[in-house]
Amino acid sequence: MASSNMPYAVRAYERRRLADALRKMILIRKFEEAAEASYMRGLIHGTMHLSIGQEASAVGSCMSLEERDKITSTHRGHGHCLARGADLGRMFAEFFGKETGYCRGRGGSMHIADVERGNLGANGIVGGGLPIAVGSALSAKRLGTGAVTVCFFGDGANNEGAFHESLNMAAIWKLPVVFVCENNLYGMSMSTDRSTAVGNISERAAAYSMPGATVDGNDFSAVAEAVDAAVARARAGEGPSLVENMTYRLRGHSRSDRNRYRTKQEIDDWAKRDPITRLFGMLVSHGVMAEGDMAELDGDAARKIDDALAFAASSPDPKVEEAAFYVYAGSGAR
Amino acid sequence: MPVEVIMPKVDMDMASGKILAWHVSAGDEVSKGDPLFDIETDKAAMEVESPGDGILRFPVDEGAVVQIGRPVGWIYADGEVASDPPGGIPSSKDEFRQSVPGEATADGSRNNISSGPDNISGKFRASPLARSLARADGFEIATIVGTGPRGRIEAKDVRNYQARRESEADTSDALAVSESASGTGTPIILLHGFASDAKSWTRLESNLGQRPLVRMELPGHGRSQILKAVGFPDLAATVRQTFDGLNLDKAHLIGHSLGGALLLDLANARPDLVASLTLIAPAGLGPEINGELLAGILRATRSESLGPWLKKLVADESLVTESYVQAAMRDRMEQSTRAAQEAMADALFPDGVQAFDLRAALARVEVPTRILWGKQDRMIQWNHALRAPGRVAIHLLDGIGHMPQIEAPEEVARIIEANL
Ligand SMILES: Cc1ncc(C[n+]2csc(CCOP(=O)(O)OP(=O)(O)O)c2C)c(N)n1
Ligand SMILES: [Mg+2]
């Protein structure tokens, strides 16, 4: 087969990395399904935003990131955490409000940060991660670390002032940051058609003199190709880029969504474009995997999830007298 | 093993949910993702999808309230034996379920679905608030048409229905009228001002001698009902209608502020039935009015915020005692009263301007007419009186504000009596 007909991912990555990527996407899916089930049983407090259906965007966007690189995440950030290798048990523990959680159970689903793995954190503020990513990229540039920051945000953030200010600053200072918009067509119940003046959010890049690309966000290879190029450009000191991954969240906005703003037909249509099925199909058709491998991948993931759930469930609750500890940086045990 | 169907937590602060209706019956086949049942929480109604493929067995009763995470039924694979519910959960004695009287059946079967207001198996949607409004009102919610998404019946649909029903029931738009017990001679008609009521005449009445008194109250004020149409022409028509209903041969008219404007309109419309017209600080003679003062009174929801504005209505603020303010606030306590007056102010005094002009009417009125005005009026300036034609008598009262009938009842009564 002529190499030019091969998808980018198959050309660019070794077998092991492709299998890894698929494994991560399956893990994210199963993780969120388990979180959903736990939530429905009342084990998780607060609310929760699931990214089921968006796994290719999370994993594909992190393919060329190195240990020193950073990401900033969103309120819909479980996939981003796991793409960067977060610990499943500590994530569940955080959801369950346990001492062993990422924030010692004080933060919940929307506040997971894993600085050791370059994850600067989820953010409950729509658009809140953008200025942080710019700051991270600025520090990398000033310190000469060579680190690149990938900044995830939703379509809803593209109309926030912080988005525009961040892109402008990143551009004037040629910062090593890649803005990755996960356009899932809605900010809560508001469709981008109704909220956004431009047809593609990537068109906004022109205003800040940076490259912009819109790709099929459910196509792992397309995402990886666009973001890899942007990371390379950032790493080479050429400045920021904007990549828009067109995707879809198959679940509601949060746990209390009644889906009144979209049709079942639309959800079903997007379910047919499942990023995991598509990546697996691609890997099979290019001989990277065999049809029969899926059962093993599923089983593997399920076992990891079960272990993580057991770890979280058996972890200690915070002591009532200490509930207000560890809420602010450096607030330690007082 | 059958798949457990649980009452899912769908809201941050949800502890339990009510099964409103099953979309399928026990023994029916379902597929994963099919709509399985509807639940109602404190906040909303929501559809729950089937967690698996198979046959639904042992569904709990419609109307049952179930704690989150507890089973509400089971999905069995084809051919899987189902003699007893696993764990015996769907028994009506389960500690986590409370049957809601009149809504759930007690025997665990679903054959006996109540046909009361809560039965939504008839395929219509309604918000929880709409349901409870209908329930409180005691009518069958299914009988009204919903305007929400996919025909969902919402609270506003119920309220519109109630309003329609009420307006159909009321054939008369007449104002509330109260009459003095006795008296001889030509009766006096009294009409109070905006945001006031018939009680504002009490001090004047005791100085007015022995004539029969007829007090009218504006819509949404005192004991008058709230009217939808509150523009000046609507109000004037209602006043006329009420006046006509009294069947008087002749009447003296005394109106204050907005009431003055309305009685001036009446005198113009019914010249033969009016003996004299007394206008106290009347509206309608110029565009200016103290919009801030109006808004302040309208906005007030307690006596602390109402008092300071009421003081601006009089020249000697000591007249506005604490008990006076409290009594005034009690009359405005009803949110519906305040809303009605607000709608009225919006139509009559948009942007703090008097939107109606009665100068032409005043020029046409030929009956003896007097205008009384306090020179310290901070609501409507007394110099509007200067726009009256020469035949109208003008009495300007020193040291008096917008409420001469309260501030100087004896003086006002003397002027009126001398001319009746
Ligand atoms: C500044 C700010 N405004 C509003 C909200 C409430 N809010 C939370 S998520 C959300 C929608 C975000 O949409 P989008 O960025 O498209 O992300 P998605 O949820 O679709 O992943 C909104 C409005 C918020 N958290 N922060
Ligand atoms: Mg969105």
Side-chain angles (χ1 to χ4, degrees), chain B residues 260-261 263-269 271 277 279 282-285 357-371 384-393:
Chain B
L263 292 186
L264 166 52
D265 186 273
L266 180 68
N268 179 41
L277 176 63
L279 305 173
L285 301 184
D357 186 349
L358 293 163
R359 279 176 298 169
L362 183 56
R364 280 192 296 269
V365 169
E366 288 177 354
V367 296
T369 301
R370 280 168 302 286
I371 295 177
H384 285 194
L386 302 179
R387 294 172 179 152
R391 107 183 83 80
V392 173

Side-chain angles (χ1 to χ4, degrees), chain B residues 117-132:
Chain B
D118 248 315
N119 173 20
I120 71 146
S121 58
K123 295 285 172 259
F124 66 91
R125 298 164 175 275
S127 75
L129 183 55
R131 283 174 202 286
S132 70

